[in-house]
Amino acid sequence: MKVNAAPMNQNLWTKGFTTGVTIIALGILVVIYRFIFGLGAVTNLSDGVPWGLWIAFDVVTGIALAAGGFTTAALVYVFNKGEYSPLVRPALLTALLGYGIAGFSIILDVGRWWQIYNPIWSWQGSSPLFEVSICVMSYLTVLFLEFVPIMAEKFDQNPDSLLAKIIVKIAPVVNRFLIALIILGIVISTLHQSSLGSVMMIAVARIHPLWHSAWMPLLFLISAIAIGFPVLVIESYYSAKAFGRKFEQGILSQLLKLTPWILGLYVVVRFADIIVTGELNLLVADIWGIVFVVEMCLIAIIPTVLLLNKKYRESDSGILTISWMMILGLVMNRFNTYLITYQPRPGWDYFPSLGEIIVSAMLVSLLFVGYKLLANYFPVLSKE
Amino acid sequence: MAVDRRSFLKFGAATVGVSLLGFNETNAEANDEFADNYAMLNDSTLCIGCRGCQSACKEAHELPHTGHDKRYEMPTDLNAQNLTLIQLQRKSEDEYTFIRRSCLHCNVPSCVSVCPVAAFTKRADGVVAYDKDKCIGCRYCQVACPFDAPTFEYNSATPVVVKCDFCKDLRLKNNETPVCASICPRKAIKFGTRKELLREAHKRIKDNPGRYNTHVYGETEIGGTSVMFLAPAGFTFEELGYRKWGETPPGQMQEEIQHGIFKYWIPPVALYGALGLAAYTLGKKNSNKSDDSGEVKNES
Ligand code: SF4
Ligand code: SF4
Ligand code: SF4
């Protein structure tokens, strides 16, 4: 598994980067306001709808979209597909940033954030959210450790700061256990990706039956695994654009050959579920049936059909369109499960406030700005 | 949507376990670990909607008045300043009744099941208690509660979850009756043990034919609750704002999955082993035909 990566060392301040930084600055103001005056001052959350945009998008969707890190790692290190190794580092960086941002949004969203570490000592094993919080904390640690050798490559030449010295010092230790660490990351990922599906299982009276299911953990896991590669496509495309590099479509098309299998499984499980529970008639009952079908078409059915066709699978625009379609479908699925079909307490309503939208935009910007910053400084992207 | 039917289908297998715990009618009392729990029986046919309980509870817990002039307040739902509430439920011009809302102190509470830091506990005496020093403010309890009970201080920088505490510190500690039950001029809220009050409820239904809806809400719902309700004949509990629930606690399925995963940690450890084995064997197979220097140069 040869990795031949290098820092980009380019001028950062392009138009996109500046816009990102501006949005982040705006977001920070909202965040400060939130910490001083409470959640109600910034969000439209209420006793009627306790979880809003931040949970549905920043946390739940964000963690699903960051799944590319563990699927790529599994492919390269467990199934030993060395040809994909140039994708490992970009996927790792995306996951590291994605989870870091999700962790940050959890701190923003929980009311008593200064006690956020409580799950470490006060356990409630029956709570999926307990599992999610422990997993997110430990996975972030694992991702950071996986990133240590990459940082060490950079610092090796000239370890001037204390941090650099520490990184260079621990890198050999990390390297020795790298495979063990990577597998640990994969296990933790399967655990919490599925637990994010368990979270809403108890809300049986709140979620629309087409989305509520005893198989949610499995469905959440499969869809997270499926979305990993499309996210990688998008990430490769935009990072190629940002750094003025060639978009390596070939290797990605190769990768996407696997996706129809995963998506096929998803479709089978999802329909089997609504058939078993006798909910098939809900597909034609009202608007939610249509929403369900549209979601399924976007996340799985159309992408499968298109990906099986070489013409679409092996063109730039083809894989870009398919990837965006799947991401849109996944976003719909997570939003429908956590927010849109959620029945508020009687008499309550919710639509995200401007503050919530600005903060979410800030977090997306953080991802792009952070990616550019780190890929520019550390050897993440492979040499052309 | 019929929650009970769906829960039955989805949690079908689990129901067997619950009936073994003794929620079936025949030997309910003998096997019922909740029989001696503190409980309350709310009788809507007696309540005249004076809201004495509502304001007495508020006063006893020193919660602020937020209404006009700080004198007059008519909240429409539970909130962080009102642990209990009387709601008028009207079906037609002259068909109406009053119903009380608060935490029902469930036998198998969803809030306890979901709280990631065990800030909620079900005490041996039946009270479901909250500990703000553990709570991280994630509001999962609000999402999960089947009776929309917990509220949250959204407008505070240091918020807490707020719900009826059964007057555990104000009254129960000294073997006294909770404020709302003791203040009610019509004795529409009766305090006692769960066993006594269930008997009482069924006696009232039997002795007054035609007066009551014959179901005691909270007797079996999601495994039973400590706070229970009698409704006037002609009203369903759904019309009074209490959802239809099956007997299985809605958190049961999810709990079984969580415990299944972490019982002796078998699935995660097995997965780890399998992946490790795969990495080892597949890596070996390929190492012959590849001349790669390994991913990281310091690796030996
Ligand atoms: S009513 Fe809600 S808050 Fe009260 S014990 Fe039951 S689940 Fe918990
Ligand atoms: S808000 Fe507090 S009490 Fe409620 S589930 Fe979260 S940590 Fe537990
Ligand atoms: S038991 Fe106490 S806290 Fe609960 S509603 Fe009655 S007065 Fe309020």
Side-chain angles (χ1 to χ4, degrees), chain A residues 51 110-112 127 129, chain B residues 111 114-120 130-132 134-142 150 152 160-161:
Chain A
W51 286 352
V110 300
R112 302 174 65 77
S127 168
L129 208 57
Chain B
C111 56
V114 300
C115 175
V117 286
F120 277 114
Y130 165 76
D131 177 358
K132 72 172 182 345
K134 286 188 177 165
C135 174
I136 57 172
C138 67
R139 312 180 304 284
Y140 194 7
C141 48
Q142 291 202 290
F152 189 74
V160 293
V161 170

Side-chain angles (χ1 to χ4, degrees), chain A residues 46-47 71 84 88 151 153 187 207 213-214 228 278 280 300 325 360 376:
Chain A
S46 64
D47 289 329
T71 47
Y84 297 120
V88 167
M151 293 191 280
E153 267 175 44
V187 173
I207 310 296
S213 149
L280 205 54
M325 194 186 289
S360 295
N376 206 41

